[in-house]
Amino acid sequence: MAGAIIENMSTKKLVIVGVILLFFQAFSFMVGGPTTAVHYLATKCVDAAKNHQSTKWFMPWGPNQCEKIRTFDEAMAKKIEANNIVFAVHIPLPNMEMSPWFQFMLVILQFDIAFKMHNQIEDGALATVDVGLAYRDDMLSEWTEMAHSLEQRKLNCNFTTTKTYENEGRYYECELLPFMEVGSVAHKYYLLNIRLPVHERKKINVGIGEIKDIRLVCIHQNGGFTQVWFAMKTFLTPSILIIMIWYWRRITLMTRPPVLLEKVIFALGISMTFINIPVEWFSVGFDWTWMLLFGDIRQGIFYSMLLSFWIIFCGEHLMDQMERNRFSVYWKQVGPIVFGSFCLFIFDMCERGVQLTNPFYSIWASDVGTELAMAFIIVAGICACLYFLFLCFMVFQVFRNISGKRSSLPAMSKGLIFRFKFLMLVTLFCAAMTVIFFIISQVNEGHWRWGDHTVQVNSAFFTGIYGMWNLYVFAIMFLYAPSHKRYGDQSSGQCIISDTGANSGEDIQLTTTITHVDGPTELYKMTGKEAQE
Amino acid sequence: MDVCRSTSTTRGRRPSAGSHQYLTLTVALLLLACSSQLLLVDATNNWWSLALTPIQRPEMYIIGAQPLCSQLSGLSQGQRKLCQLYQDHMTYIGDGAKTGIKECQYQFRQRRWNCSTVDNTSVFGRVLQIGSRETAFTYAVSAAGVVNAVSRACREGELSTCGCSRAARPRELPRDWLWGGCGDNVNYGYRFAREFAVYNLANVACKCHGVSGSCSLKTCWLQLADFRRVGEFLKEKYDSAAAMRVGRKGKLEQVDKRFNAPTPEDLVYMDPSPDYCLGNATTGSLGTVGRLCNKTSEGVDGCELMCCGRGYDQFKTHKHERCHCKFHWCCYVKCKRCTTLVDQFVCK
């Protein structure tokens, strides 16, 4: 009889594997900051041309810079109208270059609006911005237009002090406005030209207060982080892939067809590999704006697979009198997961999908969009709650059954039960770590000091959690693979499958003469027997 | 940091700084950005004149044989050197000083000393040669103004030396930027600000941008506060400023040891404030003669205190207010001028 490795491996080896995995885990927490936010202040340029349809681009600095004004009072004095003022922002700052290693570019818009008794922000004021984005790859060539759009953003501002003449000139406190999201940074220089067209009769840009300045914050991934991230993925892909092949070989070597649990573990391995494959390397050479969306989808697939795995893992160890081992038994539990992830997928398509064509689009900008987005998120949240309840209930049942039937399961040693509980605890630990790190990275928006080193919680969260789930999947595939210890006894003299698939060439004449039926685990067999009775 | 370094060397070369003011400034205004220290080299420095002298745009004289720094009045030798090094900064330092002075005048509009400027070269007159609270406040607020202006210019891309450059190794700049971004460093102004009290007022803004916009990935950054809030903060520091004296070992110590020792973020002063009630050529006080006061108030802006008991004159005057406003565009509202007749009171 052959059990899974987890049942047959010595405790010493188990500990060694655990320590090695922990070491990799610690390493994945040590990676530096993932993103940088750079501030920009829009330069107010004067468009002297009467016809604003011209495709002229306004540069805030350097050669060919535009004619500037410093304040709007100056514009007033020179009789320049609102439609003739162009807010120009060059990304990045002078002497810098953008790079494909930055992966994405996310721009946030902030208005500096001064309080004036006679020009206050009305309730539900909408700012309409006419915005153009252009790029070029050297300092001398012409700008090429990338996108142009007329966008509306809702101003959510409040004035914290009393509205008196005394306090004129103080700024409103306004919420950040999502402005632009580009999924690849393929060019060196970007230029944003923003206009605030005023049309009194159509009520466009009326009642938005006295705008003093436009500020932008541009967030991008750090090149260094991207490189470490890619390296990590490139390293993890073959690791998981090899263990997956090894695992599946072991399964197919057995005489019986694989059971559901084994198939699910295999599927988990496939989705992990799918998320691991470093297709991002292509973003360095190609201008693939859909990479961001693709990354989201991959991550979504993996997490829904992981959640389904837990349900089935618990269900298969449930030792009740039901015939399981069929996927259809679990539709009730897996249903919410699939539905929830589908909702999030739709939401993501609505936001990042549309951004493929219009980088300035934001689902949060319109009321209908906001409600729709909220609806999707709430539905996904409800699904998550349902799932969690299901899972808790099943885990509770498993533990109750194990402790209740321990006396009637003589084949199972105490150590074996301990190992199952141990894996359960590891799962719980991983889940708890994810939640805890998530909370910490939300609450503490800075760094943790560790002696002289500052650990950036945010990136630790990002790479650490990613590394952790990789190791988790690795460990599961390793520990739940059928053990070869007993094969060795029976198929004496035959070549035995080795720990990795690297020398699979030797495995060709591997025995297929194992006659007895092996279950994936002792426990599994016990439950199966009971179910048949 | 280069600015700071050159400052200290300048200071080292000019050890003639025994005056009270100098001591007040170095110790007292530890919170001061180095930009202010750079300008506080001498006792008789009048760098504020940058705020009043109309400086042309720097590009106009970069090629010119005689750079602007030698034309500017009110700069010491060391400052002049720095000025030449950082010519492109001077406009913004001037702007910042202007903002600082404006804020100072706003915060002190109802006090006997109202931060008024007297002439183009000495700006504040002799008053600031006394190491008083007012001097401390003026330096602090103007330093804050400079920080604000430099940081602003950086964000606009106006200054070539900003960004994450450490001036010492500009060649590695693009590599640093590619590898780690610039973080806080990108705002050159913040480099000053980091040691500066104003940093405490900056608030943190964050954006979530993980999967489906979730907070699995979040980026935060600092936002400098509205300058009025900076002014208010420093005004509070002014009110709680600590009196200091030079101890036996030549070190500064607190006059009244019962109070908590001042932190690097507090304002300290050495000399008592001169009498601001009457004009005095020696101290440079302008006096409150001719100042408007509030008849009904019992505070410092009330006629009783403002006029130092000398009494006041009453007269009627036309007060102009904006009314019947018509919106033109975001930043321009055309208003009519409504005139009302009001009583006003002026100190004798």
Side-chain angles (χ1 to χ4, degrees):
Chain A
M1 54 167 227
I5 283 184
I6 185 168
E7 286 161 289
N8 291 335
M9 203 164 145
S10 72
T11 314
K12 196 177 149 197
K13 279 185 191 165
L14 201 66
V15 168
I16 290 173
V17 171
V19 167
I20 291 171
L21 295 187
L22 269 179
F23 173 75
F24 278 114
Q25 177 64 66
F27 173 76
S28 59
F29 272 110
M30 295 296 157
V31 183
T35 51
T36 299
V38 185
H39 300 250
Y40 298 93
L41 187 73
T43 304
K44 302 174 196 85
C45 290
V46 180
D47 182 4
K50 282 274 169 283
N51 176 17
H52 309 306
Q53 301 308 314
S54 63
T55 51
K56 192 172 182 268
W57 291 97
F58 292 87
M59 263 294 282
W61 42 260
N64 297 325
Q65 56 181 272
C66 64
E67 185 195 330
K68 294 180 212 171
I69 47 167
R70 291 185 72 75
T71 59
F72 281 112
D73 297 335
E74 204 180 316
M76 224 77 72
K78 289 182 182 168
K79 300 238 184 308
I80 300 165
E81 283 189 28
N83 297 327
N84 288 341
I85 294 177
V86 179
F87 294 85
V89 176
H90 186 278
I91 298 173
L93 290 168
N95 301 329
M96 314 272 196
E97 280 177 10
M98 294 308 267
S99 142
W101 291 102
F102 290 160
Q103 294 288 291
F104 64 85
M105 208 162 64
L106 208 151
V107 181
I108 287 152
L109 175 72
Q110 269 183 299
F111 290 112
D112 275 348
I113 303 176
F115 171 74
K116 281 281 153 74
M117 284 299 274
H118 294 294
N119 188 10
Q120 299 188 16
I121 300 182
E122 289 164 9
D123 287 336
L126 276 179
T128 308
V129 287
D130 173 343
V131 55
L133 174 69
Y135 68 86
R136 69 181 178 189
D137 284 310
D138 60 81
M139 286 305 272
L140 298 168
S141 60
E142 285 296 306
W143 290 101
T144 318
E145 185 175 285
M146 235 174 108
H148 192 114
S149 177
L150 194 69
E151 290 293 323
Q152 287 196 322
R153 293 287 185 272
K154 202 172 169 189
L155 293 180
N156 271 330
C157 299
N158 60 345
F159 194 62
T160 41
T161 38
T162 49
K163 294 186 173 177
T164 54
Y165 278 104
E166 189 88 312
N167 287 322
E168 276 198 350
R170 273 173 187 263
Y171 288 166
Y172 281 93
E173 279 173 23
C174 292
E175 272 179 26
L176 306 172
L177 302 170
F179 186 55
M180 185 180 87
E181 208 172 316
V182 187
S184 70
V185 189
H187 304 287
K188 283 182 183 163
Y189 308 106
Y190 292 87
L191 180 67
L192 276 165
N193 274 187
I194 305 166
R195 289 169 204 258
L196 293 170
V198 176
H199 203 294
E200 240 179 295
R201 251 179 299 132
K202 286 188 195 157
K203 290 270 175 202
I204 290 176
N205 281 344
V206 173
I208 55 169
E210 183 168 316
I211 293 179
K212 288 283 187 192
D213 275 305
I214 291 184
R215 282 182 293 137
L216 298 181
V217 178
C218 178
I219 297 170
H220 60 75
Q221 196 161 301
N222 287 339
F225 177 79
T226 311
Q227 285 167 17
V228 173
W229 181 240
F230 285 8
M232 202 167 154
K233 284 192 146 192
T234 315
F235 168 75
L236 285 170
T237 308
S239 322
I240 295 287
L241 199 68
I242 286 167
I243 194 96
M244 201 171 78
I245 293 167
W246 173 82
Y247 169 79
W248 195 242
R249 273 196 95 85
R250 288 223 156 171
I251 300 277
T252 48
L253 282 177
M254 292 185 301
T255 44
R256 59 163 178 82
V259 291
L260 179 66
L261 185 60
E262 288 165 342
K263 285 187 213 159
V264 171
I265 291 177
F266 187 62
L268 189 65
I270 290 176
S271 60
M272 190 82 245
T273 313
F274 185 54
I275 196 176
N276 277 344
I277 293 174
V279 277
E280 284 95 338
W281 281 110
F282 288 109
S283 67
V284 178
F286 300 92
D287 185 8
W288 286 351
T289 39
W290 46 267
M291 205 56 105
L292 215 55
L293 180 67
F294 185 58
D296 280 6
I297 292 172
R298 290 198 296 171
Q299 218 166 326
I301 288 175
F302 170 70
Y303 280 109
S304 41
M305 192 63 235
L306 187 68
L307 299 182
S308 310
F309 164 74
W310 284 338
I311 284 283
I312 293 168
F313 177 79
C314 290
E316 292 295 294
H317 289 107
L318 205 52
M319 291 195 287
D320 52 7
Q321 306 306 317
M322 243 171 85
E323 172 63 59
R324 292 188 179 260
N325 202 11
R326 275 181 296 115
F327 187 71
S328 53
V329 178
Y330 297 100
W331 68 268
K332 221 192 309 174
Q333 286 91 337
V334 175
I337 304 172
V338 173
F339 188 67
S341 351
F342 186 71
C343 281
L344 283 180
F345 172 70
I346 298 280
F347 166 73
D348 221 54
M349 281 306 282
C350 288
E351 173 107 345
R352 286 196 167 151
V354 178
Q355 276 165 356
L356 293 182
T357 51
N358 177 12
F360 302 105
Y361 178 82
S362 167
I363 197 168
W364 304 101
S366 68
D367 284 335
V368 182
T370 307
E371 277 167 26
L372 204 70
M374 280 314 280
F376 279 132
I377 289 170
I378 288 169
V379 169
I382 290 171
C383 286
C385 288
L386 272 178
Y387 167 81
F388 190 66
L389 287 177
F390 269 134
L391 188 68
C392 284
F393 179 65
M394 288 180 95
V395 170
F396 169 72
Q397 273 190 321
V398 172
F399 275 93
R400 201 189 52 188
N401 286 355
I402 286 182
S403 55
K405 291 183 182 171
R406 193 177 293 178
S407 51
S408 63
L409 300 172
M412 276 164 49
S413 64
K414 274 191 181 142
L416 211 130
I417 292 176
F418 165 75
R419 284 178 190 179
F420 272 108
K421 286 194 175 172
F422 178 75
L423 204 92
M424 220 44 169
L425 286 177
V426 170
T427 305
L428 201 68
F429 173 76
C430 286
M433 283 289 275
T434 310
V435 174
I436 288 169
F437 262 90
F438 182 76
I439 291 170
I440 288 173
S441 65
Q442 299 317 304
V443 175
N444 174 342
E445 60 280 290
H447 323 269
W448 272 355
R449 290 203 72 84
W450 239 11
D452 284 341
H453 301 280
T454 53
V455 176
Q456 294 211 336
V457 179
N458 218 331
S459 68
F461 173 73
F462 206 68
T463 51
I465 296 302
Y466 176 73
M468 188 181 75
W469 289 119
N470 259 291
L471 294 174
Y472 179 81
V473 172
F474 185 91
I476 284 198
M477 282 201 287
F478 179 69
L479 295 175
Y480 280 76
S483 168
H484 66 242
K485 272 189 181 159
R486 304 302 161 99
Y487 305 154
D489 295 344
Q490 286 170 10
S491 52
S492 51
Q494 290 252 353
C495 187
I496 299 303
I497 192 164
S498 61
D499 271 7
T500 60
N503 45 0
S504 54
E506 297 169 35
D507 302 338
I508 298 164
Q509 79 273 50
L510 208 74
T511 178
T512 49
T513 56
I514 304 164
T515 46
H516 60 264
V517 179
D518 343 72
T521 66
E522 279 298 315
L523 184 61
Y524 193 89
K525 243 171 24 185
M526 300 306 290
T527 59
K529 262 183 209 154
E530 269 180 32
Q532 283 159 21
E533 275 164 15
Chain B
M1 277 346 248
D2 213 41
V3 175
C4 290
R5 235 179 293 128
S6 0
T7 316
S8 43
T9 50
T10 322
R11 246 192 282 150
R13 254 183 278 127
R14 296 177 64 89
S16 63
S19 82
H20 285 176
Q21 188 193 350
Y22 175 74
L23 276 171
T24 325
L25 296 172
T26 22
V27 185
L29 312 174
L30 281 180
L31 86 166
L32 277 200
C34 35
S35 56
S36 70
Q37 286 175 2
L38 114 95
L39 302 152
L40 304 183
V41 180
D42 262 42
T44 51
N45 83 66
N46 296 309
W47 66 277
W48 282 288
S49 61
L50 289 176
L52 304 182
T53 327
I55 303 183
Q56 309 90 347
R57 308 294 293 178
E59 53 273 18
M60 297 174 74
Y61 42 78
I62 274 172
I63 320 153
Q66 194 70 346
L68 117 141
C69 297
S70 53
Q71 292 165 357
L72 280 177
S73 51
L75 292 185
S76 73
Q77 199 64 38
Q79 286 168 2
R80 190 147 293 155
K81 255 194 184 139
L82 276 173
C83 168
Q84 277 158 6
L85 259 174
Y86 288 94
Q87 267 196 22
D88 55 344
H89 284 47
M90 294 320 274
T91 332
Y92 305 104
I93 291 177
D95 282 351
K98 206 183 291 175
T99 323
I101 293 171
K102 256 197 199 153
E103 188 56 37
C104 177
Q105 286 173 350
Y106 175 85
Q107 294 295 338
F108 282 82
R109 68 199 181 284
Q110 291 171 346
R111 300 277 189 130
R112 285 178 188 162
W113 177 75
N114 63 352
C115 211
S116 47
T117 50
V118 274
D119 58 57
N120 266 357
T121 44
S122 68
V123 186
F124 291 105
R126 298 186 63 114
V127 166
L128 289 198
Q129 290 176 30
I130 301 166
S132 64
R133 278 171 194 262
E134 287 74 27
T135 313
F137 179 84
T138 316
Y139 278 103
V141 81
S142 11
V146 171
V147 168
N148 224 41
V150 172
S151 141
R152 195 190 147 91
C154 282
R155 292 160 175 214
E156 260 188 299
E158 296 278 357
L159 292 177
S160 51
T161 43
C162 303
C164 40
S165 79
R166 315 238 156 84
R169 43 184 187 116
R171 253 188 320 125
E172 294 193 8
L173 188 149
R175 226 176 65 198
D176 279 1
W177 152 256
L178 173 65
W179 177 260
C182 298
D184 288 346
N185 286 349
V186 85
N187 301 301
Y188 194 57
Y190 280 2
R191 202 109 48 91
F192 303 141
R194 201 162 334 159
E195 293 137 57
F196 190 68
V198 173
Y199 187 75
N200 296 344
L201 289 177
N203 47 346
V204 178
C206 291
K207 165 82 181 166
C208 293
H209 50 94
V211 180
S212 302
S214 71
C215 278
S216 63
L217 198 57
K218 197 170 77 163
T219 305
C220 295
W221 61 91
L222 276 175
Q223 286 182 306
L224 278 189
D226 189 0
F227 201 67
R228 180 57 38 85
R229 279 188 57 208
V230 177
E232 279 166 0
F233 175 81
L234 290 174
K235 180 74 181 306
E236 271 169 37
K237 292 285 177 198
Y238 164 87
D239 288 331
S240 62
M244 307 293 267
R245 65 167 172 234
V246 181
R248 258 181 233 124
K249 289 174 192 157
K251 280 187 180 165
L252 270 194
E253 58 181 34
Q254 204 167 356
V255 173
D256 195 333
K257 297 238 169 63
R258 279 172 304 173
F259 295 120
N260 290 339
T263 64
E265 288 185 6
D266 285 321
L267 292 177
V268 300
Y269 62 94
M270 300 196 56
D271 300 335
S273 299
D275 182 9
Y276 293 116
C277 280
L278 294 167
N280 183 337
T282 336
T283 60
S285 163
L286 293 173
T288 59
V289 179
R291 289 278 301 277
L292 288 175
C293 60
N294 183 352
K295 194 191 168 191
T296 49
S297 164
E298 290 189 355
V300 201
D301 62 327
C303 291
E304 195 56 39
L305 285 172
M306 178 68 84
C307 308
C308 311
R310 294 186 305 265
Y312 51 88
D313 290 325
Q314 181 177 0
F315 68 95
K316 284 202 186 302
T317 183
H318 293 285
K319 192 180 176 189
H320 306 297
E321 263 178 354
R322 283 149 65 93
C323 56
H324 308 297
C325 292
K326 192 177 175 304
F327 178 87
H328 274 248
W329 52 284
C330 105
C331 312
Y332 179 40
V333 178
K334 206 172 188 178
C335 293
K336 287 205 172 106
R337 214 164 65 158
C338 298
T339 315
T340 44
L341 203 61
V342 288
D343 286 325
Q344 289 211 308
F345 308 93
V346 167
C347 289
K348 278 183 182 168

